[in-house]
Amino acid sequence: MTSVTSTVVRLKLSLLRNGLRQSAGRRAAFVASAVVALLFALLQLLGLLALHGHAHAEAVAVPGTAVLALGWAVMPLFFPSGDETLDPTRLVMLPLRPRPLVRAMLAASLVGIGPVFTLLVLVGCVLSVAHGTAGYVIAVAAAVLALLVCVALARAVAAANVRLLTSRKGRDLAVLSGLVIAVGAQLVNFGAQRLGSSGLGQLQPVADVLSWAPPASAVGAVRSASEGAYGAAAGQLLSAVAGLALLIVVWARSLNRLMTSPDGSTLQAPDAGARERAFAGGSVRLLPGGRTGTVMERTLRYLWRDPKTKAAWVTSLAIGLIVPVFNAVQGTGSVYFACFAAGMLGIQMYNQFGQDTSAFWMVALTISSARDAYAELRGRALALLVITLPYATLVTVLTTALLGDWPRLPEVLGLSLALLGAMLATGAWTSARFPYSIPQEGHKNVAPGQAGLAWISIFGGMVAAALLCSPVIVLTIWLNVSAGGDAWSWALLPTGAGYGATITFLGLRLAAPRTAARLPEILTAVSKG
């Protein structure tokens, strides 16, 4: 009789094989990603082996294992559709018990690029701290045990949240991926600079703590066995085994609940609609009347409800804050980096109609003249300003405070407002001239065949915005280089604000008749994909 484990493993291999048969592009992407991942893993392996015998090798190997486990834990939350076999609900109708299914899915989880990459890095971690016969013997078991903990952790998290992750609200968790990547990149950069100046010894206290937490405790056991501390090594291995057993128990219980309980993730609470209407009513009262207020409310609702729009906003908000603040904290920044916040949020004005996708036809029915188009564009711009103005001001003040350069606050804030106005103006015009569709499914932000339009719309618009903002930039430079110019730097704040408002008004006026005249072309472009 064929075992469940072998059947599920063959099922995983069949899914991979059939997926690669779909197209040559998919095969090429798989091969390219596999080659890049394996090359990177081999480089990590060689780097860790080079640390063998180093006094602080444990300070790298133990935290590195913990970081690998953290990656396995969060990836199912951010990318639930990355592996179809992460969804155990596909098997709930089969006559399978949770325990055999856990063993089968654990074995199937070891098939793929991710486990191979993790195993190579873990081998480097354990070998970097191994010495003597006992150390190398424990290293073999430690690498396998750490890999099983990582895989079981990912499966337990996925099983516990699978119904949420496969729902519409659950897919919104992918919005946080941009934030985590942006913050993580800056934290890695900041940490690398600190380590480069102070050495690996700073990580030793962290490694001492993590060496008792699974799966990093498995690597700690290798170091303890190499030093002859066999009692400590046994305790650390026991910690890793206990962590694996706990994860398997949690995983099995989640599978049992999935197989025996109805899916209530999409049921709405009885008073949810009433709360939504009350919230909407309160927010509408704060908006202006007429079409402008209606458009603002619709735009803000799209921002909150549409996953793609929300993802773009969250990423822009995060990067717009991280770049100036982290550079200021590191002492390498300039107060003018605060303009990055206005620039990142100003990009959200580009391709306004493409964000509506095929639903834009309902908006198009309400536009019969340039006046209607102007009201539509004005409402969208004002909705952006509701968030962008206080945000850009906050980032500018925070960056100035961190650098202690308060005399430049008025000119930097004025320059940010001028840049924001220029991007709103060019964004409105390019939305009418170069619209493109944004696919609702997957991680693509441009429909096939429209990449050229997207490049022209965004980067061409940004160049035009920089040119429109050049008078304020020139004035700022002139006041900084001329004698006595500092006494008039305060004037850049009202100048920049007035210039930005004027440019925005003119840009909306210029884009309105083009929008009204090109409605059929815009509707066709944004409905593709």
Side-chain angles (χ1 to χ4, degrees), residues 27 31 49 72 98 109 125 132 165 171 222 276 307 370 377 381 428 430 437 518:
R27 289 193 296 272
V31 172
L49 291 178
W72 276 88
S109 300
C125 289
L165 294 174
R171 286 193 291 268
V222 177
E276 175 69 17
L377 291 169
T430 57
S437 178
R518 300 189 75 251

Side-chain angles (χ1 to χ4, degrees), residues 8 11 19 30 74 76 79 81 210 234 261 357 384 398-399 420 450:
V8 175
L11 176 62
F30 179 83
V74 301
F79 304 103
S81 60
L210 292 177
S261 302
T357 62
L384 266 65
L398 180 59
T399 305
L420 178 59
Q450 293 186 328

Side-chain angles (χ1 to χ4, degrees), residues 172-231:
D172 287 353
L173 283 173
V175 169
L176 298 177
S177 61
L179 177 61
V180 171
I181 292 172
V183 174
Q186 290 296 328
L187 289 176
V188 169
N189 181 37
F190 184 67
Q193 291 185 2
R194 292 290 300 273
L195 290 176
S197 59
S198 304
L200 296 175
Q202 289 190 118
L203 291 177
Q204 192 60 49
V206 178
D208 292 338
V209 174
L210 292 177
S211 63
W212 289 93
S217 59
V219 180
V222 177
R223 179 61 182 267
S224 298
S226 300
E227 295 177 346
Y230 300 114

Side-chain angles (χ1 to χ4, degrees), residues 302-329:
Y302 279 177
L303 189 157
W304 180 252
R305 292 180 176 179
D306 181 62
K308 284 293 182 72
T309 305
K310 189 189 296 186
W313 272 90
V314 169
T315 304
S316 296
L317 288 168
I319 297 178
L321 176 66
I322 288 171
V323 170
V325 169
F326 270 65
N327 279 280
V329 170

Side-chain angles (χ1 to χ4, degrees), residues 38-315:
L38 292 178
L39 286 177
F40 185 72
L42 290 173
L43 289 175
Q44 295 293 313
L45 174 61
L46 293 176
L48 289 166
L49 291 178
L51 289 175
H52 188 268
H54 193 278
H56 297 295
E58 184 185 15
V60 176
V62 173
T65 305
V67 170
L68 275 177
L70 179 62
W72 276 88
V74 301
M75 283 302 104
L77 298 177
F78 291 146
F79 304 103
S81 60
D83 184 358
E84 295 89 346
T85 61
L86 283 176
D87 186 2
T89 58
R90 299 172 183 265
L91 306 175
V92 296
M93 299 302 294
L94 300 178
L96 299 173
R97 293 184 177 275
R99 288 186 179 179
L101 185 58
V102 165
R103 291 195 299 268
M105 295 185 70
L106 183 61
S109 300
L110 299 175
V111 177
I113 301 174
V116 175
F117 172 88
T118 304
L119 180 60
L120 289 174
V121 177
L122 288 174
V123 168
C125 289
V126 296
L127 292 181
S128 66
V129 296
H131 296 280
T133 303
Y136 285 108
V137 171
I138 297 295
V140 176
V144 175
L145 185 57
L147 176 62
L148 291 176
V149 171
C150 290
V151 174
L153 178 60
R155 289 293 185 173
V157 171
N161 298 277
V162 65
R163 283 179 174 165
L164 173 64
L165 294 174
T166 53
S167 66
R168 176 63 179 268
K169 290 184 178 180
R171 286 193 291 268
D172 287 353
L173 283 173
V175 169
L176 298 177
S177 61
L179 177 61
V180 171
I181 292 172
V183 174
Q186 290 296 328
L187 289 176
V188 169
N189 181 37
F190 184 67
Q193 291 185 2
R194 292 290 300 273
L195 290 176
S197 59
S198 304
L200 296 175
Q202 289 190 118
L203 291 177
Q204 192 60 49
V206 178
D208 292 338
V209 174
L210 292 177
S211 63
W212 289 93
S217 59
V219 180
V222 177
R223 179 61 182 267
S224 298
S226 300
E227 295 177 346
Y230 300 114
Q236 289 168 321
L237 277 180
L238 183 62
S239 172
V241 172
L244 177 60
L246 179 61
L247 289 172
I248 291 177
V249 169
V250 172
W251 184 7
R253 289 184 176 180
S254 299
L255 288 177
N256 185 64
R257 186 170 61 252
L258 285 170
M259 293 178 172
T260 59
S261 302
D263 184 5
S265 62
T266 58
L267 298 179
Q268 187 178 32
D271 60 339
R275 290 197 303 266
E276 175 69 17
R277 289 191 295 271
F279 173 78
S283 62
V284 168
R285 285 194 293 270
L286 300 176
L287 301 178
R291 177 166 185 150
T292 299
T294 302
V295 174
M296 291 180 66
E297 182 187 2
R298 179 187 357 112
T299 302
L300 293 173
R301 282 185 182 274
Y302 279 177
L303 189 157
W304 180 252
R305 292 180 176 179
D306 181 62
K308 284 293 182 72
T309 305
K310 189 189 296 186
W313 272 90
V314 169
T315 304

